[in-house]
Amino acid sequence: MREAFNPGDRVRTTTFDPPGHTRLPRYARGAVGEIVERAGNHPRAEDRARGLPGEPQPVYHVRFRASDLFGSGDHTVTVELWQDYLEPLTNHDGNAAP
Amino acid sequence: MGVSRINDVGGMEGFLAVVEEPDEPPFHADWEAHLHAMNALLIRQGVYNRDEFRDALERMAPAVYLTASYYERWYCAITTLLVEKGVLTAAEVAGNGHGAADA
Amino acid sequence: MSGHHPSAPIAGQVRHIENLLEQRGVIAPGEIDHRIDALLAGGSPLNGARIVARAWTDPAFRDRLLADANTAIRELELSMGGGEELRLKVIANGPGEHHVVVCTLCSCYPTTLLGPSPTWYKSDAYRARVVRDPRGVLGDFDLELPADTRITVWDASAESRYMVLPRRPEGTDALTETELAALVTRNGLIGTALV
């Protein structure tokens, strides 16, 4: 799978809550963040947890403001996420609450 | 938000202060080191993969997960997978934990 | 969860499983002992301290380390381990900038390089709290950062493993690389200490 995002891109994480194993932490679901860096290509953890080889897909470091995640805090949290978890954010809804 | 598993604790409220143990050794007991090595070997041998191991940890009953020590969780996950993968039966796992027949 | 469970029953259970796996030929006799020896001999915070001291004394190495840590640490004859090598990402603290590492979903840590992580790093309390309240958690370690220091928490949620490159302390210009390495602590490599 090709890389869909570049450093600096704004993204929103999925709100999908899968029934099994996932590597998208609950606190970072449905949140708006910024791509910091690419982190290689890896099979999805969801597939591997079911014993499947999984097709490699891009992984990114994505930075979130704590205030966007928790409603408070002046720090940032950088989470490492598979491309599947992310959708592009267009400018007009950039400030919309999840 | 939904059905997150008990391992997904990031941001959760109510936990107490983090306590550091001075001069902590790599392992607190031999069995912890043995479990650590056993898990690495089972993954290397392809009995299961890292994500299947994490998945097995996450499937623990929440109350058990929260009260178990770190390596007690590992014991639970490893034996769950050994049974599910058909390497051992549940009866064999439960068979003798006290060392009488297999000491 | 206290982290202290040297209880006899579980020790016997682990031995029981180990015996069964050896009888079935899943694990060769002695292999577990070899693996433990290799882990304890290979992984240590001292490795991280050597990397940090080199980065403090050699700016070109520091650049290489931050760009591609897996390749750079081979210059010190270190590696992230055989087999499927995990990506190591080194994050540098700077003036007004502090990083701290966690794995909220499990306990990801560069174990082959730094040895087993401390119990507090694996605790539910650390994993739950540090993403939301890093200043509070750093306070548990008696680390109080200036109010204008920007803190970034790195959650090891996928395939990278993280190590913090602390700032070189003031007044250490005269120290050798070996003496500098002796200043670096395991907590400094995670971000719960300044060095």
Side-chain angles (χ1 to χ4, degrees), chain C residues 112-134:
Chain C
T112 49
L113 183 66
L114 303 182
S117 61
T119 295
W120 63 258
Y121 179 85
K122 301 178 270 217
S123 71
D124 301 326
Y126 179 73
R127 291 162 45 211
R129 289 182 52 222
V130 76
V131 282
R132 185 168 191 144
D133 180 21

Side-chain angles (χ1 to χ4, degrees), chain A residues 23-90:
Chain A
R23 299 298 284 179
L24 173 59
R26 161 171 40 188
Y27 72 81
R29 276 196 212 127
V32 172
E34 181 184 330
I35 303 281
V36 177
E37 184 182 328
R38 293 170 174 161
N41 291 270
H42 298 282
R44 294 186 337 137
E46 285 80 352
D47 294 332
R48 288 176 52 86
R50 285 195 283 268
L52 306 170
E55 189 192 338
Q57 74 164 241
V59 177
Y60 305 89
H61 300 296
V62 186
R63 182 168 53 221
F64 301 90
R65 291 186 306 197
S67 54
D68 287 341
L69 299 175
F70 306 114
S72 65
D74 58 5
H75 60 286
T76 58
V77 181
T78 301
V79 188
E80 197 182 6
L81 299 172
W82 269 268
Q83 185 159 293
D84 252 16
Y85 302 155
L86 307 173
E87 57 188 51
L89 192 72
T90 50

Side-chain angles (χ1 to χ4, degrees), chain B residues 7 9 11 15-18 20 24 31 34 44-45 50 54 65 69-70 72-73 92 96-97 102, chain C residues 5 12-13 16 18-19 24 26 31 104-105 107 119 122 124 127-129 131-132 140 159 161 187:
Chain B
N7 66 298
V9 296
F15 288 98
L16 302 177
V18 179
E20 184 180 13
E24 184 179 352
W31 67 267
H34 279 243
R44 195 179 74 187
Q45 252 126 267
R50 238 179 2 237
R54 289 177 183 141
Y65 180 95
S69 78
Y70 183 72
E72 285 170 347
R73 293 173 186 174
E92 285 170 333
N96 185 341
D102 60 353
Chain C
H5 289 267
Q13 287 163 5
H16 170 66
E18 194 173 319
N19 288 343
R24 303 293 156 85
V26 179
E31 211 174 353
T104 64
L105 294 172
S107 55
T119 295
K122 301 178 270 217
D124 301 326
R127 291 162 45 211
R129 289 182 52 222
V131 282
R132 185 168 191 144
D140 293 345
E159 305 292 329
R161 299 294 176 267
N187 287 10

Side-chain angles (χ1 to χ4, degrees), chain C:
Chain C
M1 165 173 156
S2 72
H4 293 273
H5 289 267
S7 50
I10 193 160
Q13 287 163 5
V14 171
R15 195 165 57 241
H16 170 66
I17 301 297
E18 194 173 319
N19 288 343
L20 286 170
L21 292 173
E22 289 186 357
Q23 284 163 21
R24 303 293 156 85
V26 179
I27 288 176
E31 211 174 353
I32 286 190
D33 286 335
H34 281 140
R35 182 84 197 188
I36 295 169
D37 291 345
L39 176 68
L40 294 178
S44 163
L46 298 175
N47 295 335
R50 282 178 59 207
I51 295 167
V52 168
R54 175 65 57 89
W56 283 346
T57 52
D58 181 345
F61 174 79
R62 181 182 189 275
D63 292 344
R64 292 194 293 277
L65 182 70
L66 298 182
D68 177 0
N70 294 68
T71 302
I73 66 175
R74 287 192 203 121
E75 297 174 36
L76 298 173
E77 288 171 8
L78 296 170
S79 84
M80 284 293 281
E84 191 188 347
E85 184 172 317
L86 289 162
R87 174 172 180 259
L88 177 66
K89 178 162 176 61
V90 175
I91 327 151
N93 287 343
E97 192 177 357
H98 187 86
H99 299 278
V100 58
V101 177
V102 66
C103 172
T104 64
L105 294 172
C106 52
S107 55
C108 297
Y109 185 79
T111 306
T112 49
L113 183 66
L114 303 182
S117 61
T119 295
W120 63 258
Y121 179 85
K122 301 178 270 217
S123 71
D124 301 326
Y126 179 73
R127 291 162 45 211
R129 289 182 52 222
V130 76
V131 282
R132 185 168 191 144
D133 180 21
R135 286 183 189 274
V137 169
L138 296 181
D140 293 345
F141 291 85
D142 296 323
L143 174 56
E144 193 165 330
L145 298 171
D148 61 355
T149 297
R150 291 189 308 277
I151 299 176
T152 300
V153 182
W154 293 75
D155 191 349
S157 48
E159 305 292 329
S160 298
R161 299 294 176 267
Y162 300 104
M163 190 183 91
V164 174
L165 173 58
R167 294 180 68 193
R168 181 171 175 164
E170 304 284 333
T172 57
D173 290 355
L175 298 188
T176 65
E177 196 173 319
T178 307
E179 289 166 335
L180 288 168
L183 302 177
V184 180
T185 69
R186 181 167 63 184
N187 287 10
L189 302 171
I190 300 173
T192 55
L194 277 186
V195 181

